[in-house]
Amino acid sequence: MVPVLFILPGLILSAFIIIYPVWELIQTSLRKVTRFGKVTKLNDFANFEAVFSDTLFQEAAIRSVWWTLLVVGGTLICAAGIALILNEKFHGRAIARVIIMLPWSVSLSLLTVVWRWALNGETGYLNHLLEQLGIIDGPVVWLASGSTAFTVMILIGIIVSIPFTTTIFLGGLSSLPGDLYEAARMEGASHWHCFKTITVPMMQPYVNIAIVLNVIYVFNSFPIIWILTEGGPANSTDILVTYLYKIAFKYGKLGEASVVSLLMFVFLLAFAALYLRLVSKDAANA
């Protein structure tokens, strides 16, 4: 009972910080809101109807799912490989770890500005490098086409997400007991067998943390897409968070923006709850 009393103020504050904004979102989503932010009468779910009937919302929602799946999946694969390498003992390992983690200390907006400069079709460093290597014959306007721009954004999203995920995996790998590997090798187990039967099962909690946190961060990621294209050309790279920004601050549709915000919150909450439940069920069955 005593520990509960100690954490009760923190729980109350956390509940207020979370519950109050969600309640306000619900209230705003059900009412007509003027362009100047004045909340008026109930509008019989007109905001929901407007959002769900908007083809731009539908496209942004589908694009958000692909964006999240591809960036998170690519990040997990790359970060796992890098973490396994950095967990081995070799000369310069400490420096290599610092180099991998260094981009994490830089603002994502700043990194995206640098990438925008590098992707410039006329003076960008990427075109210059690829021409020097003989990979392309002339400048490529990377952000002029929706499909090309979105692919580039996914690659950038993976690159900027690797340091954080690698840190999680390295923390997990460093906590694994070495005597298990020694015992397995004494029994004649190969490196692959040790990885499959020891590393993968014991790293599962860290993988779960990485998946949940990366899905939340990537799904809500705003700077990469906004700084590079602002959702263009012709809204072809919009995801839900940039679509939300446009309808709220560019078009002044605050009621519809509240609906989108509420839907994003519900989606992420449902994903986290469902995923953690499935993970807990698998652990219990094991």
Side-chain angles (χ1 to χ4, degrees):
M1 186 66 181
V2 176
V4 174
L5 293 177
F6 278 119
I7 65 174
L8 186 59
L11 291 176
I12 294 174
L13 179 61
S14 299
F16 177 76
I17 292 173
I18 296 172
I19 294 174
Y20 176 73
V22 173
W23 173 251
E24 285 296 315
L25 274 180
I26 295 173
Q27 290 291 314
T28 307
S29 66
L30 295 173
R31 298 175 181 273
K32 182 179 180 181
V33 185
T34 68
R35 189 176 183 87
F36 302 101
K38 183 179 179 181
V39 181
T40 58
K41 60 183 180 179
L42 294 171
N43 60 1
D44 297 326
F45 296 98
N47 292 329
F48 285 85
E49 293 177 6
V51 168
F52 285 122
S53 62
D54 188 357
T55 56
L56 293 180
F57 166 77
Q58 298 167 12
E59 293 171 359
I62 295 172
R63 204 174 291 117
S64 293
V65 174
W66 281 113
W67 160 260
T68 305
L69 287 175
L70 293 174
V71 172
V72 173
T75 299
L76 293 174
I77 293 171
C78 295
I82 294 172
L84 288 170
I85 294 173
L86 294 179
N87 192 54
E88 298 293 328
K89 294 181 179 180
F90 58 88
H91 292 293
R93 182 177 68 168
I95 297 175
R97 287 185 173 186
V98 171
I99 292 173
I100 290 295
M101 307 305 166
L102 199 57
W104 193 17
S105 64
V106 182
S107 166
L108 180 56
S109 297
L110 179 59
L111 285 174
T112 308
V113 169
V114 173
W115 274 106
R116 182 175 180 177
W117 169 78
L119 293 167
N120 187 282
E122 298 178 358
T123 60
Y125 181 74
L126 181 60
N127 277 337
H128 175 72
L129 177 62
L130 294 178
E131 286 179 7
Q132 292 294 318
L133 295 174
I135 298 176
I136 59 175
D137 297 327
V140 177
V141 185
W142 299 98
L143 303 178
S145 166
S147 57
T148 303
F150 195 60
T151 302
V152 170
M153 291 173 184
I154 290 172
L155 294 176
I156 295 174
I158 293 172
I159 292 172
V160 300
S161 302
I162 285 175
F164 171 72
T165 311
T166 303
T167 303
I168 295 177
F169 288 162
L170 273 176
L173 290 171
S174 62
S175 68
L176 300 183
D179 54 348
L180 289 179
Y181 292 93
E182 293 177 5
R185 293 191 187 99
M186 289 178 64
E187 294 293 330
S190 63
H191 286 287
W192 169 249
H193 188 74
C194 290
F195 175 76
K196 184 174 65 173
T197 58
I198 300 176
T199 306
V200 172
M202 297 191 72
M203 282 292 294
Q204 192 60 47
Y206 300 93
V207 174
N208 295 336
I209 293 172
I211 289 176
V212 172
L213 292 180
N214 272 298
V215 166
I216 294 173
Y217 294 157
V218 172
F219 188 80
N220 288 320
S221 181
F222 179 80
I224 294 176
I225 292 178
W226 189 257
I227 291 175
L228 289 179
T229 65
E230 295 187 3
N235 302 307
S236 59
T237 58
D238 262 330
I239 59 174
L240 284 178
V241 68
T242 55
Y243 171 83
L244 165 64
Y245 184 87
K246 286 180 179 179
I247 63 174
F249 300 108
K250 190 174 182 179
Y251 304 121
K253 300 178 180 180
L254 300 180
E256 295 177 23
S258 298
V259 173
V260 178
S261 296
L262 190 60
L263 292 174
M264 292 173 65
F265 172 77
V266 170
F267 171 80
L268 289 175
L269 185 64
F271 164 79
L274 179 61
Y275 182 79
L276 293 176
R277 180 178 180 134
L278 292 174
V279 168
S280 301
K281 186 181 293 187
D282 290 341
N285 293 334

